[in-house]
Amino acid sequence: MYFCVNYHVVISSILLIIEGRCYIMYKYDFKTYDRALESVNDVIWEINVTSNEFFLDDRILKITGYTPDNFTSIQNFIEKLSLEKDKIPALVDFDNYICSRSHFYQSSFRIKTKNAEIKWILIKGKMFNDSNSNSTLISGSISDITEIKKLQSEISYVSNYDSLTGLPNRTFFFSMLNNSLIHAKIENKKLALLFIDLDNFKFINDTNGHNYGDHLLKVFAQLITSLFSEHGKVARIGGDEFVLLIYDFKTLDEIQNICNIMQHYLVSPFEILDKWIYVTASIGIATFPSDSSSPSELVNFADFAMFQSKLRGKNKYTFFRKDISDFYLRQSQIENELKNSITNKEFSIFYQPQINSNNNKITGVEALIRWKSAKLGNIAPSEFIPIAEKNGFIVKLGDWILNKVLSDVCIWQQQKFSFGTVSINISPIQIKETNFKEDLINACTKYKVSPNLLEIEITEGTLIEIYDDKIETLNDIIKSGIHIAIDDFGTGYSSLNYLTNLPVNTLKIDKSFIDNIKDDKNKAVIKSIVFLSNALNYKIVTEGVETKEQIDLLRDLGCNIIQGYYFSKPLPQSEFMKMLNKSKDWSEYFG
Ligand code: C2E
Ligand code: CA
Ligand code: CA
């Protein structure tokens, strides 16, 4: 064997790299090293820098197909075997080490073996002075890391690409966005981020099954890739959320054009699993440098703008504007302040009476929540309830409202006031809770309130949303004696014939009809609601009545139960108690 004399030194120096303690290795015999080396699978090499002698282990044959005598040095090994693309970096790595520009020598590159296989190898080495031979040696190992590289690239694929669509995923997208922003800043280029969200995807998924939804996502991904991969980078960053990153655009018209192209292609239906389906998308756009230079802010802003497209009726695109971010900032502030609002006792309940305009008596009362946030001041329910619904807080809040209202009712009963039914507004999320019905009934028992004094108000939208799953719950609630009212009636999509099957007692005609009551069409709608309600035995309450003229017109149409500023604004509990107290003589109070 070439350089046999130095074999001990070579082996020991390898073990020095592995163990970091070369000097004790001299104590072991050759066979021990040999066995040890067989098990490590690394090929060892050594250069005597002083004499230029080069040793390479026989087992290089296994990796490269060449015997050691084919190579005269590490540089020569690199020159002969490395791929053209990897040659210079590999030579530079070695050169840097020799010139003491790095502490260890470590370099990985691809080689072409004798039978033309491409393999990844890793070369390591370390320099030291051998006092025995009084020379400088560099010893090291060569390992075949092809399998490791393969695994690494598989792992990197899995962690960077979405397995369903094959598109870059959120993680990879953010790293692309970061890089693009760095370049855009240096090169003074403009960048646009299009946030694309499929419309009604949840509905499609729920009605056609997840397999169908997955196919749709794949087809949509193919569509936007084929349309726009020349314009920019496409990625899937969430369930039905895609992004298109456009580098170096000149005018917003270009971006608008891209959105129009996308909408144009979404006009025709897709054929997914033998079924034709119409799919649209809502798009939001944020740009660098106009809107932001922060990657996460750009994505959030584009997301906000996308949501604005949804609010505008879906299948639209919206460019980010400052007022959109102000809106979302306020939303997140409210969301934050809601967290401790119950424990900080920031809520109260106001009561608005419903009056029979024939005799001016109170026939009912609606409980309306009020929030005075310590930080943000008074916030209207129309602003915070949708946020509480979105993050689920409404369940806890709804529970607080139920308890507060029933404890007030308990007091009114003790004072022998008469107030008809008490209505509480209920969100769909509350009805979906498993114990909703039981909680209502238990609260009535707890505060000794007869269930038929309680009415829950749900909107038409809620009714449609929960109809299939929870209609039984509503039937059970009615059976328990609790009343159900449909709120904002006429604004949703309930067709009148829908009504015949509904478990409800009361329809509350929406304020918008009362506002325009002089309009003949509105009159006709109110008339038909009254006609149907009489036939189905529903009570009608008209909301938002502000003038005597409206009351007279409503009376002519057969609507007598009035809730509105004309009689009273919603009042704090103490004021409402005073009203209940005085209203023993109704005509005097509301006369
Ligand atoms: P809503 O259930 O339709 O309540 C009626 C709204 O109209 C109340 O607004 C009330 O103050 C207002 N209003 C009543 N009469 C008149 C009138 O003559 N003129 C005008 N301009 N407005 C009138 P509020 O209290 O701001 O509540 C707004 C919405 O917030 C409610 O609409 C309801 O959807 C929701 N909300 C209020 N309280 C609660 C609650 O305790 N729980 C839930 N889930 N939602 C609530
Ligand atoms: Ca209501
Ligand atoms: Ca209403």
Side-chain angles (χ1 to χ4, degrees), residues 366 425 457 487:
E366 179 174 3
N425 292 283
E457 291 191 8
D487 206 356

Side-chain angles (χ1 to χ4, degrees), residues 3 6-18 22 26 43-49 53-56 74 94 97-98 103-106 123-130 135-142:
F3 249 92
N6 263 346
Y7 201 48
H8 276 75
V9 179
V10 168
I11 293 168
S12 60
S13 60
I14 295 303
L15 292 176
L16 168 121
I17 289 162
I18 300 166
C22 89
Y26 288 101
V43 172
I44 50 176
W45 57 270
E46 185 170 82
I47 296 167
N48 186 323
V49 178
E53 284 160 316
F54 178 58
F55 165 80
L56 189 58
I74 284 292
F94 189 74
Y97 181 65
I98 297 293
H103 294 293
F104 303 97
Y105 169 52
Q106 179 160 316
I123 307 193
K124 287 184 187 174
K126 192 168 168 63
M127 198 180 289
F128 63 97
N129 291 319
D130 180 36
S135 50
T136 302
L137 304 170
I138 308 173
S139 305
S141 61
I142 299 177

